[in-house]
Amino acid sequence: MPAKRPPVPLSRERIIDAALHIADSQGLRRLTMRRLGDALEVEAMAIYHHLPRGKEALMDALAEHVTAVQVEAAPTWQETAKAWCRASREALRDHPGVLALALTKPPKGATTLAIREQVEQLTDAGLPGAAEAVRTMRAFVFGSVAVEVQQSGWADPEVDTWTRRDVQADADFERGLAALIKGLQI
Amino acid sequence: MPAKRPPVPLSRERIIDAALHIADSQGLRRLTMRRLGDALEVEAMAIYHHLPRGKEALMDALAEHVTAVQVEAAPTWQETAKAWCRASREALRDHPGVLALALTKPPKGATTLAIREQVEQLTDAGLPGAAEAVRTMRAFVFGSVAVEVQQSGWADPEVDTWTRRDVQADADFERGLAALIKGLQI
DNA sequence: ACCTGAACACCGTTCAAGT
DNA sequence: ACCTGAACACCGTTCAAGT
């Protein structure tokens, strides 16, 4: 006899993980409360107990998950900045299904904190005008990932082709990153 | 007696205009076929006659509308490139409601043609590697607009605050654009 | 505290029917 | 050719009820 309902309790974290999986594999438009409930072996209404504002809260949480990036402070601000850009890019690339949310929703909660922390790290490491620098870095990462994901054909018809890493995109990113860092230190 | 039903016929163009207005003023999630029908004083089902693939086709058309940008060839490739970046930015800024689609949907139809034309213009004007240059330019524009619209607070609660031009964003954009063009000519 | 069932208003889309 | 009405399957969310 198969174990009927293992008493793994629902949690905010499990909900977000399942939601990310659906969005990345089937697209954001197919992420519905009912389907999310199915994936968690629970009725859709149970989700509201953990995310009181419902789907709106879920969307916010998904955006935050791929967008609240932290990084250890490196010896120089240049290295810290590079590490942050690379980590941010990876986080966004890993979840193309919620990229539209991440690029579009205003920073909130954990994301705002992460941005603030990054500004402080760079300031402490001796970079003047770190707030503007972080804005420029975010724009660079956002644009790079958007173009890369678009090009990869992560779209409605075929989701299969999104597996191989794009070496061209990697090279472009690193080249642009080096130029950006150089431009910042004037 | 008020004119009941002026025989202005439905058309693809009128549908797209009305859809952009709804998306920009109320957000993409409130753009529904039924609401769109109401705005056009028509039953929702009438839309399917002009956009056979329904909402999917509508979304594609909206993305194309803000993304298929053309520009006259200027004397130098530098000026052409700048004009193209500025025009692309304006088109995206004008319709924050469909920005998520524009940054996320793979180029199609008119957008693909516009990109191809831009590559040719730059190549003809003497820029080697124009295809990569256009990718870099698109990434720059996408990232800039994403950060700007995020910062502007164009979001769920208050849509009012999106009226004043952000001079800071303008300056950032022009500074980045100059650096980008300079980086391209190596 | 945590989850379910039933219900409500709304959604995209079809299809036959009207003009 | 162009639009409507009715219908279907699905959606987000509420609320009272169960345990």
Side-chain angles (χ1 to χ4, degrees):
Chain A
M1 41 162 123
K4 265 273 197 86
R5 186 77 61 86
V8 184
L10 212 48
S11 71
R12 204 183 132 90
E13 202 194 354
R14 282 189 61 218
I15 293 171
I16 292 171
D17 281 356
L20 282 171
H21 187 257
I22 294 175
D24 289 335
S25 59
Q26 311 189 39
L28 198 59
R29 286 207 58 217
R30 291 187 65 81
L31 171 58
T32 69
M33 298 303 271
R34 284 164 150 101
R35 240 186 293 262
L36 184 52
D38 282 353
L40 293 162
E41 296 187 77
V42 108
E43 296 299 315
M45 304 77 195
I47 298 167
Y48 287 82
H49 205 268
H50 300 264
L51 287 102
R53 279 171 41 259
K55 193 155 193 188
E56 202 58 40
L58 179 63
M59 298 305 211
D60 286 350
L62 295 177
E64 275 189 41
H65 187 269
V66 296
T67 239
V69 170
Q70 299 188 46
V71 122
E72 282 183 56
T76 66
W77 68 258
Q78 285 91 340
E79 290 175 68
T80 304
K82 281 191 184 183
W84 192 80
C85 289
R86 292 192 185 115
S88 297
R89 177 183 181 230
E90 289 304 327
L92 294 175
R93 279 168 53 106
D94 281 350
H95 299 290
V98 299
L99 184 64
L101 298 176
L103 300 193
T104 274
K105 281 196 172 275
K108 259 179 85 172
T111 302
T112 310
L113 292 179
I115 292 174
R116 195 158 14 228
E117 186 184 318
Q118 178 63 2
V119 172
E120 281 172 21
Q121 275 182 2
L122 295 179
T123 302
D124 292 351
L127 176 66
E132 292 158 31
V134 169
R135 285 223 324 203
T136 304
M137 286 158 56
R138 297 208 321 134
F140 171 70
V141 172
F142 284 178
S144 302
V145 176
V147 167
E148 182 180 357
V149 171
Q150 272 192 2
Q151 219 91 21
S152 83
W154 191 92
D156 309 48
E158 359 62 294
V159 188
D160 312 331
T161 47
W162 172 254
T163 39
R164 61 180 179 354
R165 275 189 84 90
D166 188 341
V167 280
Q168 156 90 338
D170 286 358
D172 282 3
F173 182 82
E174 286 298 331
R175 197 172 53 67
L177 181 53
L180 187 154
I181 300 290
K182 196 160 251 166
L184 250 37
Q185 59 199 341
I186 304 171
Chain B
M1 42 161 124
K4 267 274 200 83
R5 186 75 63 79
V8 184
L10 211 49
S11 71
R12 204 184 132 90
E13 202 193 356
R14 282 189 61 218
I15 293 171
I16 292 172
D17 281 357
L20 282 171
H21 186 257
I22 294 173
D24 289 334
S25 60
Q26 312 190 39
L28 198 58
R29 285 207 58 217
R30 290 185 66 80
L31 171 58
T32 69
M33 298 303 271
R34 283 166 151 100
R35 241 187 291 263
L36 185 51
D38 282 353
L40 293 162
E41 296 186 77
V42 109
E43 296 300 316
M45 304 77 194
I47 298 167
Y48 287 82
H49 204 268
H50 300 264
L51 287 100
R53 278 171 42 258
K55 193 156 194 189
E56 201 59 39
L58 179 63
M59 298 305 212
D60 286 350
L62 294 177
E64 275 189 41
H65 187 268
V66 295
T67 239
V69 171
Q70 299 188 45
V71 122
E72 281 182 57
T76 66
W77 69 257
Q78 285 91 340
E79 290 175 69
T80 304
K82 281 192 184 183
W84 192 80
C85 289
R86 291 193 185 115
S88 297
R89 177 183 180 229
E90 289 304 327
L92 293 175
R93 279 168 53 108
D94 282 349
H95 299 290
V98 298
L99 184 64
L101 299 176
L103 301 193
T104 274
K105 279 195 172 276
K108 260 180 85 172
T111 302
T112 310
L113 292 179
I115 292 174
R116 197 163 5 233
E117 186 184 319
Q118 178 62 1
V119 172
E120 281 172 22
Q121 275 182 3
L122 295 179
T123 302
D124 292 351
L127 176 67
E132 291 158 34
V134 169
R135 285 224 322 206
T136 303
M137 287 159 55
R138 297 209 321 134
F140 171 69
V141 171
F142 283 178
S144 301
V145 176
V147 167
E148 182 179 358
V149 172
Q150 272 192 1
Q151 219 91 20
S152 81
W154 191 93
D156 309 47
E158 2 61 299
V159 188
D160 312 332
T161 47
W162 170 254
T163 40
R164 62 186 181 348
R165 274 189 84 89
D166 187 341
V167 279
Q168 156 90 338
D170 287 357
D172 281 3
F173 182 81
E174 286 298 330
R175 196 172 53 67
L177 181 54
L180 187 153
I181 300 291
K182 195 161 252 165
L184 251 38
Q185 59 199 341
I186 303 169

